[in-house]
Amino acid sequence: MSERNEADIIPRAGVVGWPVAHSRSPVIHGHWLARYGLKGRYDRIAVDPAEAEAFFAGFRDSGLVGANVTVPHKEVAARACDVLDPLAQSLSAVNTLWVENGLLHGTNTDVTGFLANLDAEAPGWDAGGGPAVVLGAGGAARAVVFGLAARGLAPIHVVNRTRARAEAVAALAKGRDGHSVGHAHGFDDLPQLLSRARVLVNTTSLGMAGSGPLDIDLSPLPHDALVSDIVYVPLETPLLAAARMRGNPVAGGLGMLLHQAAPGFARWFGVFPEVDDALYTAVIATLPPEAGGR
Ligand code: ATR
């Protein structure tokens, strides 16, 4: 068989980012390809920000069936799409692309990945409604706030060092009737916000290996409030460890990464894959021991 035919038969996808060497996505998709006995390839694709616009403009003809998109390309990839679903439109950012009938489609599975992880780790977590407190106002915060609002949590308090960014993210929080349920705050307001919170999510990079600590006092937080962190290196951040020690339910960040990967895999390779213990084990094996790797 010629190389060209071989390439046509074996669907190829990948993760596009800069840098992308640290990405665990190839481990996740490689695990599922093996588990379901499917033909396919999933590679790391490093794209320099200066080349990103041209890369996504040429994506339809690249031979790839689709891709995950990670930092810093989620917005530029969204602009290159012919078709964006409503979620990706609202966030102006995509993390999953696929080519269908010659058109480039994009969606954002960070939202459903975040929610699916909480549903798996803390079933019924949303039954009590809000208030929710979200720390940080970057790209990840946008997906988290959107997801919490979609589940009807209200009010949603966005707490960020830079107030203007908190305001932009809080504006994404719309209740089911379309009214705003978001509020922007600085860290000074945190003790009072924590005292009534039902859900607390860290979306800042603080607590990640190599970053500074997330130095917050959990003592005002009710003991039954759910605490989640999107950081997954280390697997158990100091925030999660402190929350678990005082008896709060917790949900770690690795699950969001695993769950956001599933819809893309289904699009490209034809099977909706399961996030199970074997997948956790495969990805945890890639983490350094000091980050909880085994
Ligand atoms: P991402 O898109 O991955 O969420 P980001 O856009 O770089 O990443 O956002 C990182 C978040 O961590 C921001 O909310 C940032 O606060 P600012 O908006 O004020 O920059 C927050 N963050 C990073 N370092 C911080 C620090 N030392 N103290 C407080 N917040 C910090």
Side-chain angles (χ1 to χ4, degrees):
M1 191 183 292
S2 76
E3 253 181 53
R4 171 83 195 147
N5 285 342
E6 179 81 357
D8 285 344
I9 289 165
I10 297 187
R12 180 175 167 242
V15 53
V16 184
W18 184 268
V20 81
H22 65 283
S23 172
R24 266 85 188 180
S25 292
V27 178
I28 299 170
H29 292 279
H31 174 85
W32 282 331
L33 285 169
R35 172 176 168 179
Y36 295 104
L38 298 170
K39 278 196 172 157
R41 274 186 59 182
Y42 187 101
D43 301 318
R44 291 187 177 84
I45 304 169
V47 174
D48 186 312
E51 311 290 330
E53 210 172 306
F55 175 85
F56 291 109
F59 194 93
R60 294 165 202 77
D61 306 314
S62 65
L64 294 158
V65 292
N68 285 125
V69 184
T70 187
V71 178
H73 297 326
K74 293 183 183 187
E75 287 85 6
V76 62
R79 289 196 292 274
C81 286
D82 303 304
V83 185
L84 287 178
D85 70 4
L87 204 52
Q89 265 176 38
S90 305
L91 293 168
S92 305
V94 296
N95 73 336
T96 304
L97 297 174
W98 69 99
V99 180
E100 192 177 318
N101 298 328
L103 298 179
L104 184 59
H105 289 244
T107 186
N108 193 309
T109 68
D110 288 330
V111 177
T112 48
F114 168 69
L115 294 174
N117 181 42
L118 297 195
D119 289 338
E121 297 295 309
W125 64 275
D126 54 347
V133 175
V134 177
L135 307 178
R142 298 171 77 84
V144 165
V145 164
F146 206 84
L148 293 172
R151 284 295 181 92
L153 270 76
I156 298 175
H157 299 290
V158 180
V159 177
N160 197 49
R161 177 178 61 180
T162 310
R163 178 68 187 244
R165 295 187 84 198
E167 279 163 10
V169 174
L172 287 172
K174 295 263 171 33
R176 286 181 179 142
D177 59 2
H179 283 90
S180 171
V181 297
H183 303 272
H185 303 266
F187 274 89
D188 287 353
D189 293 344
L190 192 57
Q192 171 239 328
L193 296 174
L194 287 183
S195 69
R196 304 188 56 187
R198 304 284 321 128
V199 176
L200 169 66
V201 185
N202 175 46
T203 75
T204 74
S205 46
L206 300 173
M208 190 188 301
S211 300
L214 175 65
D215 206 5
I216 65 169
D217 175 12
L218 289 182
S219 52
L221 186 71
H223 289 269
D224 58 351
L226 172 66
V227 179
S228 183
D229 201 326
I230 65 152
V231 171
Y232 64 91
V233 183
L235 271 184
E236 183 167 82
T237 59
L239 171 69
L240 291 182
R244 198 169 49 77
M245 290 283 283
R246 64 196 293 283
N248 289 85
V250 297
L254 181 54
M256 177 176 174
L257 178 76
L258 304 183
H259 284 281
Q260 65 77 32
F265 186 91
R267 287 258 175 219
W268 311 320
F269 303 121
V271 173
F272 201 96
E274 204 184 334
V275 173
D276 61 7
D277 289 349
L279 180 63
Y280 271 93
T281 302
V283 178
I284 289 171
T286 70
L287 301 178
E290 65 278 13
R294 288 189 287 272

